[in-house]
Amino acid sequence: MSYTDYSIRSFHGGYDKNLTYLVTCMRTANQFLVDAAVPLDSVSRFINHRGLITLFITHTHPDHIAYIDEYVEAFPNLVTIVYKDSDKKINCNYIKQVKDGDIISVGQLSVEILHTPGHYPDSICYLLDEVLFTGDTLFVGRTGRTVGKSSNVRKLYKSVYEKIFSLPSKTIIYPGHDYGPRTSISLEENIAISPLLNAKDEEDFIEKMKHYEKHRTPGS
Ligand SMILES: [Fe+2]
């Protein structure tokens, strides 16, 4: 594998301890954003002369696209990336619908699309070298929840255990919310600290999710 040179800056805020990420290709200065969960105001001083060219949406729950209008207005050529079967109306000038396995280039960076339904049908994780932007599919310390009416706990199991866990264990996740003891973590460290990531099989995962929902404290 050849590695590229980039920087990642994280921004906390939004509706519920959301995280938005600004990624810069150090060779071309091109930049992309993962989610639009915080106002442009908090990100704008880190956007360089080349401007934002791509906005990757991890899923279309309202908190993750809350400030999209501000970004589209400031960067009219911004291309928004969303899953192909998403039925949400996204307000932007350019939209690119993607599917599992697609590669999107930003400058010299290549971002691979992993479709990871479960928390929500149009959930996508974005892989950049050994960094995985996980949205609400996987947090530090646990998986995303499956209590919404479009959620599916069996699909989440497959997305997490079969798709994400097949990546190298050193892969570092950058989630969509800051719910854990730290902001990002490697897959192997995350598995070591989380009962929800230690299920024996699909049925055991469903039981563990039920147990989690019964005992969870709001905001955790
Ligand atoms: Fe969500």
Side-chain angles (χ1 to χ4, degrees), residues 146-157:
T146 53
V147 292
K149 67 176 177 352
S150 303
S151 298
N152 184 314
V153 68
R154 291 184 186 278
K155 285 185 179 171
L156 183 69
Y157 175 79

Side-chain angles (χ1 to χ4, degrees), residues 128-204:
L128 170 63
D129 291 345
E130 286 190 336
V131 164
L132 186 70
F133 299 97
T134 52
D136 288 3
T137 297
L138 183 58
F139 300 121
V140 175
R142 66 172 173 90
T143 67
R145 299 174 68 202
T146 53
V147 292
K149 67 176 177 352
S150 303
S151 298
N152 184 314
V153 68
R154 291 184 186 278
K155 285 185 179 171
L156 183 69
Y157 175 79
K158 287 188 173 55
S159 292
V160 172
Y161 280 77
E162 294 176 13
K163 200 168 271 184
I164 294 176
F165 287 178
S166 69
L167 297 171
S169 61
K170 300 251 181 302
T171 304
I172 298 182
I173 67 156
Y174 283 73
H177 294 266
D178 188 13
Y179 289 154
R182 43 199 264 217
T183 309
S184 62
I185 195 168
S186 71
L187 285 178
E188 65 184 346
E189 291 172 294
N190 211 12
I191 290 167
I193 65 166
S194 171
L196 283 177
L197 302 179
N198 281 278
K200 291 192 294 288
D201 54 28
E202 191 171 317
E203 301 310 319
D204 187 34

Side-chain angles (χ1 to χ4, degrees), residues 51-78:
L52 273 183
I53 59 173
T54 312
L55 168 61
F56 292 90
I57 301 295
T58 61
H59 65 303
T60 56
H61 271 159
D63 52 326
H64 295 259
I65 54 175
Y67 295 96
I68 193 166
D69 290 358
E70 295 181 7
Y71 291 92
V72 171
E73 193 181 328
F75 305 100
N77 294 325
L78 189 68

